Amino acid sequence: MILINGQPENRIDVADRGLQYGDGLFETIAYRHGRLEFLSDHLSRLKEGCNRLNIAFSASQQQSLISEIDSVCQQLNSDAVIKVMITRGPGGRGYRYQSEMPTTRIISSHAMPVYPVANVSGITVRICQQRLAINPSLAGIKHLNRLEQILARNEWQDDTIAEGVMLDYQERVIEGTMSNLFLVKNNELLTAELSSAGIAGIMRKQLIKVADELGIPLNITTLTLDELKSAEEVFVCNSLIGIWPVIRITDLNVDFSHGPLTQILQNALNSINTDE
Amino acid sequence: MILINGQPENRIDVADRGLQYGDGLFETIAYRHGRLEFLSDHLSRLKEGCNRLNIAFSASQQQSLISEIDSVCQQLNSDAVIKVMITRGPGGRGYRYQSEMPTTRIISSHAMPVYPVANVSGITVRICQQRLAINPSLAGIKHLNRLEQILARNEWQDDTIAEGVMLDYQERVIEGTMSNLFLVKNNELLTAELSSAGIAGIMRKQLIKVADELGIPLNITTLTLDELKSAEEVFVCNSLIGIWPVIRITDLNVDFSHGPLTQILQNALNSINTDE
């Protein structure tokens, strides 16, 4: 089921700036056991993205969005992925936008992807050749300009490789094509700071909170390929997959174990309150 | 009039990757006096963009596109802008694409924008705060990921400022928000090389050819703000506006004249064969 501005509809105006220029944002929300996981965090990031791009997203629009998400979920009888898109709406040709544009809300449900069960015990990843551009004004938010991720994700077809690690053009390790990345080193958790590239994932945010609650030292910092190579544990995370330990990086020819700290965090996630 | 894959239609499948991720390309073609200007150059750039993004665009698709453009133009009774978009087509959620995706072709006609007549004698521009990210794999082509241009163009509302100059994150002068930029210095024409940022404009390409034909020395190079400030002449160009001389840059507080070399190129453009 798809709702566009509250109406059941699967097509959108060609003039929508989401199509014309990627002028919008999206969220991918897990719907499991009849509940939307981390909904308020997803809505916060969406709102932050709208602020950054100067897309109107009023309290009443947010209220409509929540009730539309609810309507879509009521049609579901199994776990699903709820994708929410907000665009600047239909407009004329040209980059300039009008100050009072009617924001477009699109909510769609999708089958929950089925990943190999073994992924929760360990995956193989590769290092992507495609780099992330350095762009502070767009970093962190989940906007619709995703060609870098598309180029990166389509560098490989080998299904035994579950994810690709992306570096930025200054060779800093940032994230996966669809996930955030954490390292463990000297019992400390490390993850990339995302002020100039990358998407600040909702699961990453949860894990930062969980680490704090469990008293695990955490360092949000700059990561190099050498640090990745010499990590004791490595894992990727996102809202749909939770945590996948990385046990092999093909291009670097390094192996890791499914280590104790990763397991502690996986267990903690299983008992987290996803309504928060 | 809008044609989507040959059918009169103004709405598109929400699942189209052009909307989902900005996974596509576009061209903006001037239609004047009953003819499409520089059509073959626009089609070449579109094809080059498809190659770079690995979007299928076969000879038969190109043939369909040309005949669809022709159909749209036959409905026109005045000058217009023809916008052509090619997307990777509708697909499932996720960055990975299937190898045999049905490319979407969208052709729309728009009113030719009416700019102040005085622009051909000189415009005022500003320096944008928004920078262009350095991204060799996306540089040069006219893809649908245009948030940088949108942020840049909406930094100002003052209609006396006709264009904004964009620098990249290494502070190199690259182009305008919707145009390419040329400087004149010591009777030499200078324009930015676009291997890491910017769009290789069709009018830029024409002017490079014209300069060669007229024996005007041309240097495609790295440009700094200091070089811009100390230029003898400055102009911007694109397929719709032709050439606009820059006579003032507000943020730098510098003025230029509508100089002789700019006038030579403007005159040359007026006599160029736009069918080439």
Side-chain angles (χ1 to χ4, degrees), chain A residues 78-98:
Chain A
S78 61
D79 291 353
V81 176
I82 302 297
K83 183 163 180 174
V84 175
M85 296 175 67
I86 294 281
T87 80
R88 202 182 303 275
R93 212 188 48 74
Y95 298 129
R96 190 174 184 179
Y97 53 76
Q98 303 305 310

Side-chain angles (χ1 to χ4, degrees), chain A residues 10-34:
Chain A
N10 59 13
R11 294 187 305 164
I12 188 172
D13 189 342
V14 163
D16 196 282
R17 292 175 60 103
L19 172 66
Q20 297 285 327
Y21 303 121
D23 193 2
L25 300 143
F26 71 109
E27 293 290 330
T28 305
I29 309 172
Y31 177 79
R32 285 196 183 98
H33 313 304

